[in-house]
Amino acid sequence: MKHTKIVDLLTGKNLLHEVKAKGWVKTFRNNQFIALNDGSTINNIQCVVDLDKFPAELLKKVNTGAAISVTGTLIESKGAGQNVEIQVNKLKVYGEANPEEYPIQPKKHSLEFLRENAHLRIRTNMFGAIMRVRSTLSYAVHKYFQDNGFFYFNAPIITGSDAEGAGEMFRVTSLDFDNVPRTEEGKVNFKEDFFGKSTNLTVSGQLEAETYAMALGSVYTFGPTFRAENSNTSRHLAEFWMIEPEVAFNDLDDNMDLAEDFIKYVVRYTLEKCHDDLVFLDKRLQDEEKNKPQAERSDMSLLEKLNFVLENNFKRVSYTEAVDILRNSKPNKNKKFKYIIDGWGADLQSEHERYLVEKHFKCPVILFDYPAEIKAFYMRMNEDGKTVRAMDILFPGIGEIVGGSQREERYDVLVDKIKSMGIDEEELWWYLDTRKFGTAPHSGFGLGFERLVLFVTGMTNIRDVIPFPRTPQSAEF
Ligand code: 4AD
Ligand code: MG
């Protein structure tokens, strides 16, 4: 007999039939009630065992974490908390989990402890919920773009270009380190590390996506990107997934509209499809909030925050207006944050961004028209000659979730910019060809997928929303 997923058994449609379930034991209460979970849902199915029917030797193996199969009749449950349960007739243990050794016991584990056990943390309710939400969000990303006429474009992972020019690249090497090519001075010749060329892991698929947008019209990437940032924050990973749409003939306003519509769609889709998981995560957060001092408690639950984003327009504010707001803001009493920034032209620090979003506007904010000096080479210059058509989307509790822009489509202006920034024009010959042949206005953005998952799950550390986080501290799995 084939087994049925627990998510389907719980609908009760097989009531009074013989069913089979397979999964991992969450708890085995009073040697009578097995809470069984197979990952298909946050909810367990209760399996009722008649002690006299099974040898004690077998029941001893039914520990938390053990993999088992149960066969029995699906009946209505009299107990609170579930509608149906399985009256077990047959019980098989595939793999035991010795309680003396198995780290994931039915108690509250700290997130730090779980990070050290990244290969087993998925067996907790919390990580099951987070990773189902992550999977659903991924699907929603593809669905949104596919339903709206975009083509999925796979950007290369190994590339010779540095899209962001921030020098945060991991080099890719094919060098045989026992036989390294050296320069005349005896230094390792990294210029030749990828079969004679200099290459790195991509920081963004944007430049390549632009070439495709110039033929397919609307494209998007959704793949891993890498940044050799030696920073240890709760918002940065060395390996993260980025979603990058790129659209021919879109200007910056179209770009903002697309980003807002897209984010709302994926949040709405996930709210609908992952309702039980989000209710679980919401409850977890509310329990955490109770341990905080009153003044620090959030005034909205997770579900309220998600609905708030759906129901309200993102506030669109120029960089210049934002600087004025920050200048006129009162410095925080305890002087922990200095909201007054150095002056027009400086990049906003994360405390500035959080002030704008969490204290001033109290909603997602799209900041646009940044000073050219602090943004990448490819952004379109505005008529003022000072600002570029850049946009960052800032989210409460997260900070920057999206970075994007209208691209500089004018060949001469772009070449001048590249030169003035000291970028090697020759390395970008293929990119410049898009401006030489049939150039057109176009725009796009990059959304950091893990930051989106952070927002939707209410988690606060980016290491907890990706299966195996790559940070300077952790890459052992
Ligand atoms: O703002 P960024 O650097 O923009 C780009 O890479 C553009 N080329 C995107 C484009 O226009 N196609 O990165 C985009 C987003 C950020 O807003 C942030 O959400 C995320 O990527 N991000 C990171 N997420 C996790 N860890 C890191 N180290 C990240 N760096 C950026
Ligand atoms: Mg950015």
Side-chain angles (χ1 to χ4, degrees), residues 315-436:
K315 183 82 190 158
R316 301 181 185 192
V317 189
S318 75
Y319 167 91
T320 305
E321 286 171 85
V323 168
D324 283 344
I325 292 168
L326 291 165
R327 279 211 185 105
N328 295 327
S329 70
K330 291 198 194 81
N332 190 315
K333 263 199 226 103
N334 63 18
K335 299 269 192 290
K336 209 167 145 201
F337 300 121
K338 196 164 141 253
Y339 295 134
I340 301 157
I341 66 167
D342 302 342
W344 196 96
D347 209 352
L348 301 184
Q349 303 299 310
S350 63
E351 67 253 39
H352 300 131
E353 296 180 342
R354 295 190 74 153
Y355 174 82
L356 290 168
V357 174
E358 288 158 26
K359 299 258 176 346
H360 189 84
F361 291 111
K362 297 189 164 76
C363 71
V365 172
I366 311 184
L367 285 187
F368 62 92
D369 285 355
Y370 280 74
E373 309 271 297
I374 57 170
K375 289 288 182 189
F377 73 92
Y378 49 71
M379 299 189 181
R380 194 181 197 287
M381 187 58 94
N382 275 316
E383 279 62 48
D384 62 10
K386 282 196 325 195
T387 59
V388 283
R389 288 185 196 163
M391 64 175 215
D392 275 8
I393 303 187
L394 314 177
F395 257 51
I398 309 285
E400 181 189 331
I401 193 165
V402 163
S405 61
Q406 181 171 336
R407 320 305 189 187
E408 182 55 76
E409 84 283 15
R410 297 163 298 182
Y411 179 82
D412 294 339
V413 181
L414 187 59
V415 169
D416 284 350
K417 185 74 178 281
I418 286 173
K419 282 190 187 141
S420 76
M421 291 179 86
I423 300 168
D424 189 350
E425 190 185 328
E426 273 170 31
E427 275 181 17
L428 285 173
W429 67 272
W430 55 275
Y431 183 68
L432 289 168
D433 267 2
T434 56
R435 278 51 173 182
K436 251 192 221 165

Side-chain angles (χ1 to χ4, degrees), residues 277-293:
D277 286 318
L278 290 172
V279 167
F280 172 86
L281 291 168
D282 197 354
K283 175 146 188 327
R284 186 197 85 87
L285 264 186
Q286 285 177 33
D287 291 344
E288 297 239 305
E289 290 286 305
K290 281 184 201 141
N291 297 327
K292 288 187 188 163

